[in-house]
Amino acid sequence: MGEMQQIVLTQYCVGEPKPSDFKLETLPLPEPKDGQFRVRHVWCSVDPGTRSRLSGGDSYAAALPLGKPIDGFSVGVIDASNNPDWPAGTKVFCAGGWKTHSLQSGKGFIGKVMDVPGVPLSAWIGVLGVPGLTAWFGTKDVARFKAGDAVLVTSAAGPVGATAGQLAKAWGASTLVGIAGSDAKCDWLVNEAGFDFAINYKTTPDLDAAIAAYFPKGVDVLFDNVGNAMVNRVLPMMALNGRICISGQVADYNLTPEQTPGIVNTKPFITHRVNMQGLVVFDFARGFPEALGTMAKMIAGGQLKTQEERFDGIAAMPEAFCGLFRGENSGRRVVRVGAE
Ligand SMILES: NC(=O)c1ccc[n+]([C@@H]2O[C@H](COP(=O)([O-])OP(=O)(O)OC[C@H]3O[C@@H](n4cnc5c(N)ncnc54)[C@H](OP(=O)(O)O)[C@@H]3O)[C@@H](O)[C@H]2O)c1
């Protein structure tokens, strides 16, 4: 009988997550029952939103209990099957968790990888996974983007932000500005990803003035990945009928409710009829195939630029995850947990 490995939570995270909050476990390889199949993972992702479930309290998804494997996204190959719709050898992406193998039944977040020349397997948990889908539906359905909008994206060099910005540009944004935490990230946004301007929020002395200078008529769409302080900052700069998509709150995930900044600049909701809405990407599941097919073609055709940072071995997952909260990643972090 074979073995598998997984990463479990050993203690609830307090503040910034640390690798010692996690532990690697080895256990017997599970066999699929009737209707089930087993996926041998090749790549697993680390996602900042996972942090919101590691403090012991519920967020938009239930808290992860101690001793349980960490939820996450995986792409790999079915290596044993008792389900005729999902035969062995099929390449799939799924919510497989921080594990080398997972049992699946074909329900929930799972799909067959489309073979698109020029698109690597790992992309199916990157821009062709939850980050790209969040960008697509956040921009199109939540921010209700329309051609001519002036768009501001925060954490813009991450996989969600970079994709949201590039989609907005492809769909006709008049101005596209990204905010990111290093000059290298800002250079990539402007020189590779086609953003009109990028602002390094860590070194710009007057961030309000720097943002406002690029939006003389106001911000039509704020696609926010960062959290309350950023929303509060941009609210007074919103244009009439401006829309804010609350995609994520990476600056707030490590804070307790008492430490989380409030949003007090609420007047523009009335004066400028600003609309602010959050999303859970899985609410848009029916549209996933169309969005994925279009973005896969855009990546293959070079119209959608992606950045990927690869780590080797499942033991590297905690460190890859913790680095997200120190701004170490440029683009999607994926970890190779098995041979391709
Ligand atoms: N709503 C949904 O259904 C959904 C689904 C998926 C993801 N999301 C959310 O989308 C957001 C972006 O996800 P992603 O995968 O693309 O990750 P990401 O943007 O790459 O997140 C990591 C980056 O966040 C920035 N960051 C970290 N701590 C920060 C802080 N204190 N203040 C400001 N920026 C900070 C850093 O970039 P800098 O160097 O620029 O600071 C870091 O590199 C996340 O908030 C995630 O939870 C939402």
Side-chain angles (χ1 to χ4, degrees), residues 48-49 60 134 154-155 160 223-228 230-231 245-253 277-279:
Y60 58 86
T134 304
T154 64
S155 197
V160 174
F223 191 106
D224 185 53
N225 294 304
V226 166
N228 284 2
M230 185 59 80
V231 171
C245 170
I246 303 292
S247 158
Q249 302 179 311
V250 68
D252 297 342
Y253 291 148
Q277 191 184 324
L279 84 153

Side-chain angles (χ1 to χ4, degrees), residues 245-323:
C245 170
I246 303 292
S247 158
Q249 302 179 311
V250 68
D252 297 342
Y253 291 148
N254 292 332
L255 306 178
T256 62
E258 297 71 36
Q259 293 167 328
T260 306
I263 295 176
V264 296
N265 288 332
T266 52
K267 208 181 281 176
F269 289 117
I270 298 173
T271 58
H272 286 66
R273 286 71 155 180
V274 170
N275 189 286
M276 180 163 84
Q277 191 184 324
L279 84 153
V280 171
V281 68
F282 302 109
D283 293 349
F284 299 91
R286 263 191 291 176
F288 285 1
E290 189 207 336
L292 291 175
T294 306
M295 287 193 286
K297 283 192 202 123
M298 289 175 78
I299 293 173
Q303 294 104 8
L304 182 54
K305 299 286 170 50
T306 63
Q307 277 185 300
E308 194 176 80
E309 291 183 353
R310 295 181 161 196
F311 288 70
D312 254 318
I314 189 167
M317 293 202 74
E319 187 52 50
F321 174 68
C322 295

